[in-house]
Coordinates of all heavy atoms in Angstrom, one line a residue:
C127 N 19.9 65.7 23.3 CA 20.5 66.8 23.9 C 21.3 67.6 22.8 O 22.2 66.9 22.2 CB 21.4 66.5 25.0 SG 22.4 67.9 25.6
L128 N 21.1 68.8 22.6 CA 21.7 69.5 21.5 C 23.2 69.8 21.8 O 23.9 70.1 20.9 CB 20.9 70.8 21.2 CG 19.6 70.7 20.6 CD1 19.0 72.1 20.3 CD2 19.6 69.9 19.3
A129 N 23.6 69.7 23.2 CA 25.0 69.9 23.5 C 25.8 68.7 23.4 O 26.8 68.6 22.7 CB 25.0 70.5 24.9
C130 N 25.4 67.6 24.1 CA 26.2 66.4 24.2 C 25.7 65.3 23.3 O 26.3 64.2 23.2 CB 26.3 65.9 25.7 SG 24.8 65.1 26.4
R131 N 24.5 65.5 22.6 CA 23.9 64.6 21.6 C 23.4 63.3 22.3 O 23.1 62.3 21.5 CB 24.9 64.3 20.5 CG 25.4 65.4 19.7 CD 24.4 66.4 19.2 NE 23.5 65.9 18.3 CZ 22.5 66.6 17.7 NH1 22.4 67.9 18.0 NH2 21.6 66.1 16.9
S132 N 23.4 63.2 23.6 CA 22.9 62.0 24.2 C 21.4 61.8 23.9 O 20.6 62.8 23.9 CB 23.2 61.9 25.7 OG 22.5 62.9 26.4
C176 N 19.2 68.8 29.9 CA 19.9 67.5 29.9 C 20.4 67.2 31.3 O 21.1 68.0 31.9 CB 21.0 67.5 28.9 SG 22.0 66.1 28.9
T177 N 20.2 66.0 31.8 CA 20.6 65.5 33.2 C 22.1 65.3 33.2 O 22.8 65.3 34.2 CB 19.9 64.3 33.6 OG1 20.0 63.3 32.7 CG2 18.4 64.6 34.0
T178 N 22.7 65.1 31.9 CA 24.1 64.9 31.9 C 24.9 66.2 31.9 O 25.9 66.3 32.6 CB 24.4 64.0 30.7 OG1 23.6 62.8 30.6 CG2 25.9 63.6 30.6
C179 N 24.5 67.1 31.0 CA 25.3 68.3 30.8 C 24.6 69.5 30.9 O 25.2 70.6 30.8 CB 26.0 68.2 29.4 SG 24.9 68.6 28.1
G180 N 23.3 69.5 31.1 CA 22.6 70.8 31.3 C 22.2 71.4 30.1 O 21.6 72.5 30.0
G181 N 22.4 70.7 29.0 CA 22.2 71.3 27.6 C 20.7 71.3 27.3 O 19.8 70.8 28.0
T182 N 20.4 72.0 26.1 CA 19.0 72.1 25.6 C 18.5 70.7 25.1 O 19.2 70.1 24.3 CB 18.9 73.2 24.5 OG1 19.4 74.4 25.1 CG2 17.5 73.3 24.0
L183 N 17.3 70.4 25.5 CA 16.7 69.2 25.0 C 15.7 69.4 23.9 O 14.9 70.4 23.9 CB 15.9 68.4 26.1 CG 16.8 67.9 27.3 CD1 15.9 67.3 28.4 CD2 17.9 66.9 26.8
Ligands
LIG1 ZN1 23.6 66.9 27.3

Side-chain angles (χ1 to χ4, degrees):
C127 169
L128 294 181
C130 72
R131 306 307 300 182
S132 67
C176 175
T177 50
T178 307
C179 77
T182 299
L183 296 177

